[in-house]
Amino acid sequence: MTRILLAVGACALVALAGAARAEISDDRVKIAVLNDMTGPYADPTGLGSVEAVRMAVAEFGGVVGGKPIEIVFADHQNKPDVGAALVNAWIDSQQVDVVVDVPTSSVALAVQEITRRKNRVFLISGGGAAQLTGTSCSPTTAQWTYDTYALAQGMGTAGVKALGGSWYFLTVDYAFGHALEKDLTAVLKDNGATVLGAVRHPLNSADFSSYILQAQASKAKVVALANAGGDTTNAIKQAQEFGLTQSGQTLASLLMFPTDIHSLGLAAAQGLVMMDGWDPNRDDDSRAFAAAFRTKTGRMPSMLQTGSYSAVRHYLKAVQATGSDEAGTVMAQMRDTPVNDAFAKGGRLRVDGRMVHDMYLMQVKTPAESTGPWDYSKVLKTIPGDQAFRPLDKGGCPLAN
């Protein structure tokens, strides 16, 4: 009888523990959007990502599991110490449950260590270093939109055939640029191309003249821009001023956004080839989201903004299904549920944190091809997720074991 009573008591404790876990802490779900709101990535992330997250929350009526959803946001200024301080304060004093977006991979890596230690969900849309789901992977992180491995795979395999066999890099000097250059170099060499060199520039550079001159002097067929945002548009504008493309070299932008093309204008950007994680013309869902976002902001959403929307929507669905905002519980549910929304169809979240979905090799349209405002790009090739993203067992993530 004693053994029976002990067994019954143990079962009751387990049931109570399960009930305690399956609840929403602090009677609310708090989402923090952290990104660049004033610097080179403000256009593809910034307040646009905040609006995209609001759109996801609105689909739930501002409530999940009977509890209100709150949103806070801040500018990390592309500085790891600033981003880390904000996230620590959010979690410790405001009980934030999930951090979203975080472009600039050095900031994302710093934030990931905090969310890992404090058991909070981290939904990365802006940060692209493949290390985030490789050797630095975390059980509470989902890298949603793209990474440097996928950009390199798409550009490298197609670019050698389409653009030429000798390449030179113009790379932004921090974790994202370094990873992109490294990953693309490996793919280029596997496809028989030669990398003639690289030059690195500080984040948010205004003057690219010396870097452009070095790229010209290399005589490489292709000058690959391993940067993003304002750095990409500045580099393209100044490369044109120096006659780089007129002299027979080709510019390949590894990461461009609709706002970049808008800033350059179709006449200047036409023909540029780029990788993207989202096709706004894929189907009715993607077109509807793009139209709704444009109505609210006057702009076409970037893949980073659409990815933030998708990641938060999937997160809230998991909270609703489990009745909990505990990081491990929510992440398990997110991994068990396919991603089907305006961003991805048939996407899946792996144990290493990588969300696997189709990627797209895009080309900027000519002015004659464009049908109207923000109709700037077309799909050259759809790359299935299993081919675009690094295999689970190749990234060095301990969770893959």
Side-chain angles (χ1 to χ4, degrees):
M1 179 63 71
T2 301
R3 286 195 295 272
I4 293 171
L5 289 173
L6 286 172
V8 170
C11 290
L13 287 172
V14 169
L16 286 170
R21 286 194 298 271
E23 63 181 14
I24 293 175
S25 60
D26 307 306
D27 290 323
R28 63 183 177 178
V29 172
K30 197 156 192 175
I31 302 168
V33 183
L34 180 67
N35 60 33
D36 176 5
M37 297 189 177
T38 54
Y41 305 140
D43 282 344
T45 61
L47 292 174
S49 289
V50 177
E51 187 58 51
V53 170
R54 286 177 177 149
M55 291 171 68
V57 170
E59 291 188 19
F60 288 78
V63 176
V64 63
K67 306 298 182 182
I69 305 167
E70 298 179 11
I71 300 171
V72 295
F73 55 88
D75 183 353
H76 62 38
Q77 303 172 43
N78 297 302
K79 298 176 181 177
D81 57 336
V82 173
L86 285 164
V87 172
N88 271 317
W90 272 336
I91 294 173
D92 294 344
S93 64
Q94 298 190 42
Q95 291 75 54
V96 156
D97 298 296
V98 53
V99 180
V100 184
D101 199 6
V102 195
T104 311
S105 295
S106 54
V107 182
L109 286 163
V111 170
Q112 179 161 263
E113 289 308 305
I114 296 168
T115 53
R116 182 208 311 269
R117 188 172 68 250
K118 298 188 176 183
N119 196 39
R120 294 297 192 275
V121 173
F122 185 22
L123 304 176
I124 306 171
S125 187
Q131 177 186 347
L132 287 157
T133 51
T135 54
S136 296
C137 68
S138 165
T140 64
T141 288
Q143 192 175 25
W144 208 257
T145 305
Y146 78 107
D147 61 32
T148 54
Y149 183 96
L151 297 180
Q153 281 295 113
M155 181 61 73
T157 53
V160 173
K161 296 176 183 177
L163 304 177
S166 60
W167 292 60
Y168 187 89
F169 281 93
L170 202 162
T171 303
V172 64
D173 193 10
Y174 75 94
F176 164 74
H178 300 168
L180 190 51
E181 180 186 316
K182 177 183 176 182
D183 290 344
L184 181 52
T185 295
V187 179
L188 290 171
K189 289 181 177 179
D190 286 345
N191 283 271
T194 302
V195 176
L196 300 180
V199 62
R200 292 178 175 175
H201 67 84
L203 178 65
N204 205 17
S205 292
D207 184 3
F208 281 85
S209 57
S210 65
Y211 313 123
I212 297 297
L213 289 171
Q214 291 179 65
Q216 284 182 309
S218 74
K219 305 296 184 183
K221 291 287 187 182
V222 186
V223 176
L225 302 178
N227 51 22
D231 286 330
T232 298
T233 55
N234 283 337
I236 292 171
K237 288 175 183 176
Q238 292 177 44
Q240 292 169 340
E241 291 170 3
F242 278 84
L244 186 143
T245 54
Q246 294 90 325
S247 65
Q249 291 177 290
T250 299
L251 282 173
S253 178
L254 296 165
L255 188 61
M256 284 190 73
F257 305 105
T259 47
D260 299 332
I261 303 170
H262 189 78
S263 174
L264 288 165
L266 280 181
Q270 61 182 310
L272 277 167
V273 176
M274 60 195 178
M275 287 296 297
D276 207 308
W278 178 61
D279 174 16
N281 292 308
R282 184 198 65 207
D283 58 19
D284 289 344
D285 287 342
S286 61
R287 284 188 286 270
F289 177 79
F293 187 92
R294 282 185 60 191
T295 298
K296 291 178 178 295
T297 67
R299 297 181 172 192
M300 179 68 76
S302 70
M303 69 169 175
L304 308 185
Q305 291 158 343
T306 311
S308 290
Y309 157 83
S310 172
V312 169
R313 183 179 183 272
H314 200 67
Y315 168 83
L316 291 174
K317 286 178 66 177
V319 173
Q320 188 173 60
T322 61
S324 173
D325 60 1
E326 191 275 323
T329 302
V330 175
M331 289 296 296
Q333 180 66 25
M334 291 175 70
R335 287 191 288 268
D336 286 344
T337 309
V339 180
N340 289 298
D341 57 23
F343 177 73
K345 285 290 189 289
R348 68 185 191 279
L349 181 62
R350 298 190 315 206
V351 68
D352 61 347
R354 175 69 263 160
M355 203 280 273
V356 177
H357 58 88
D358 291 349
M359 294 287 291
Y360 305 92
L361 185 67
M362 301 281 222
Q363 186 173 38
V364 179
K365 291 182 175 181
T366 66
E369 290 176 308
S370 177
T371 60
W374 297 101
D375 179 32
Y376 292 154
S377 59
K378 59 187 178 183
V379 176
L380 294 180
K381 183 178 181 181
T382 299
I383 305 168
D386 287 340
Q387 297 176 26
F389 290 101
R390 181 177 56 206
L392 178 61
D393 61 349
K394 300 298 183 182
C397 171
L399 301 173
N401 298 322

